[in-house]
Amino acid sequence: MMIKKIGLLFSLSGTISIVGEGQLQAALLAIQENNQNSSIQFQPIIRDDRSDPKTAAKEAYSLFRQENIDALIGCYMSSVRNAVISVLNETHGLLLYPTVYEGGQVHPSVFYLGAIPNQQVEPLLCWTFHHISSNFILVGSDYIYPRSTNKQVRHWIENAGGKVLSESYFPLGCINFDKFFIDLKRFIKTNRSIVIFSTLVGDSVHSFYNQHYRHRLPFTIVSPITSEREISKMDKAAAYGHICASPYFRSINSENNQRFVQTFEQKFGCTGSA
Ligand code: ACM
């Protein structure tokens, strides 16, 4: 029997841990299923990047150089992926990157497994434009994925004849949006239909939706990155009525997905659903 060592590097603490824990669980389940049916056994070695690019690079280096892993599965934030790529340039290791991102990058050592904006964000914008509003307020966490995605979003909206009314970025881990929402109330007076497009990540997500609800703002929030993990942390009323687009929802009604959800919940318990 052949054994392959697989590094699993996720944000298990810090602001992205809401998502990182789920990513780790999915990877562990995939490894378990492989090991039940294959003569090549995967041995997982788990590390925490603490939601921090520098820590991610250090852990990736140690996994490749000290643990001699055969491949790495991991990263969520594009800033973390890019920090790990600087390690791959030296170690020539392989990274399987399992989340949506801004596109525009090809690296010979990376399998990019998530959707890019033309596959996910553009259909969401198109739907939003026709069903909610063509006046957009862009909000995001302050790093490469939101900024680079919003560059493409602005281009798409303006080409389609819509308007970007404002674009704001918040530090990673920001959980107080009161000032932003108080300021936003000026748009209510204009009586225009308006939509908030959010690329906030981590702890900011449930805080933003909860405070949006408390400020009683009439704007729908649409997002390509708010997932069922973050929604499960929100107050139910705060989540109600908003829109997210994702390559996967646990509610997908297919035999394969029902089997997957059942197996996942048997292993990890029910981790919340939208
Ligand atoms: C991301 O930073 N690619 C979610």
Side-chain angles (χ1 to χ4, degrees):
M1 185 174 299
M2 187 184 282
I3 294 187
K4 295 279 180 193
K5 284 179 158 185
I6 309 293
L8 301 180
L9 178 60
F10 293 109
S11 301
L12 305 178
S13 58
T15 190
I16 301 298
S17 61
I18 283 176
V19 179
E21 284 160 11
Q23 287 182 300
L24 173 66
Q25 290 169 337
L28 287 172
L29 183 57
I31 287 175
Q32 174 182 296
E33 293 201 339
N34 172 78
N35 289 353
Q36 281 162 357
N37 301 309
S38 173
S39 58
I40 302 174
Q41 293 289 292
F42 294 153
Q43 180 191 329
I45 302 173
I46 300 168
R47 294 285 172 84
D48 176 11
D49 67 34
R50 293 192 263 142
S51 306
D52 171 54
K54 276 196 190 129
T55 308
K58 204 169 110 234
E59 293 295 350
Y61 192 85
S62 150
L63 282 164
F64 281 111
R65 284 288 196 246
Q66 271 133 41
E67 300 287 354
N68 287 317
I69 57 166
D70 294 285
L72 180 63
I73 303 174
C75 310
Y76 173 77
M77 285 191 289
S78 293
S79 49
V80 166
R81 183 194 69 239
N82 287 345
V84 168
I85 282 177
S86 66
V87 174
L88 303 180
N89 288 338
E90 191 180 327
T91 60
H92 304 293
L94 185 67
L95 168 67
L96 279 78
Y97 176 61
T99 197
V100 301
Y101 70 111
E102 64 284 354
Q105 183 183 76
V106 179
H107 191 281
S109 297
V110 183
F111 276 110
Y112 300 85
L113 300 164
I116 53 173
N118 68 316
Q119 297 167 318
Q120 184 210 9
V121 175
E122 282 186 23
L124 173 61
L125 290 175
C126 191
W127 186 90
T128 302
F129 217 79
H130 291 109
H131 293 89
I132 306 179
S133 175
S134 57
N135 297 308
F136 285 75
I137 286 168
L138 311 183
V139 296
S141 297
D142 195 4
Y143 74 104
I144 178 173
Y145 163 73
R147 283 189 179 271
S148 178
T149 300
N150 276 342
K151 227 178 243 171
Q152 299 171 64
V153 165
R154 179 182 280 277
H155 188 248
W156 191 94
I157 291 169
E158 289 174 354
N159 264 357
K163 271 209 175 79
V164 175
L165 303 176
S166 72
E167 184 170 347
S168 308
Y169 293 94
F170 300 89
L172 276 172
C174 173
I175 53 167
N176 187 341
F177 298 93
D178 278 337
K179 190 175 166 305
F180 172 77
F181 285 126
I182 289 165
D183 187 42
L184 214 57
K185 285 180 183 168
R186 76 193 138 103
F187 286 116
I188 299 177
K189 296 189 193 107
T190 66
N191 237 355
R192 270 190 289 192
S193 77
I194 286 170
V195 65
I196 299 175
F197 180 84
S198 169
T199 43
L200 292 164
V201 297
D203 290 326
S204 296
V205 178
H206 63 271
S207 306
F208 186 84
Y209 283 70
N210 285 346
Q211 286 159 41
H212 172 274
Y213 180 71
R214 281 207 289 278
H215 280 273
R216 303 191 177 281
L217 289 162
F219 311 134
T220 303
I221 305 169
V222 301
S223 176
I225 195 70
T226 295
S227 76
E228 289 169 281
R229 298 286 296 192
E230 292 95 341
I231 293 169
S232 71
K233 298 265 178 202
M234 292 173 198
D235 301 337
K236 277 219 158 37
Y240 183 79
H242 301 298
I243 307 291
C244 42
S246 175
Y248 172 77
F249 288 99
R250 69 192 291 152
S251 53
I252 290 169
N253 190 11
S254 73
E255 235 174 80
N256 268 348
N257 185 49
Q258 276 162 9
R259 201 177 317 120
F260 169 72
V261 171
Q262 201 177 13
T263 317
F264 191 93
E265 289 182 353
Q266 268 165 9
K267 189 167 171 64
F268 300 110
C270 183
T271 52
S273 67

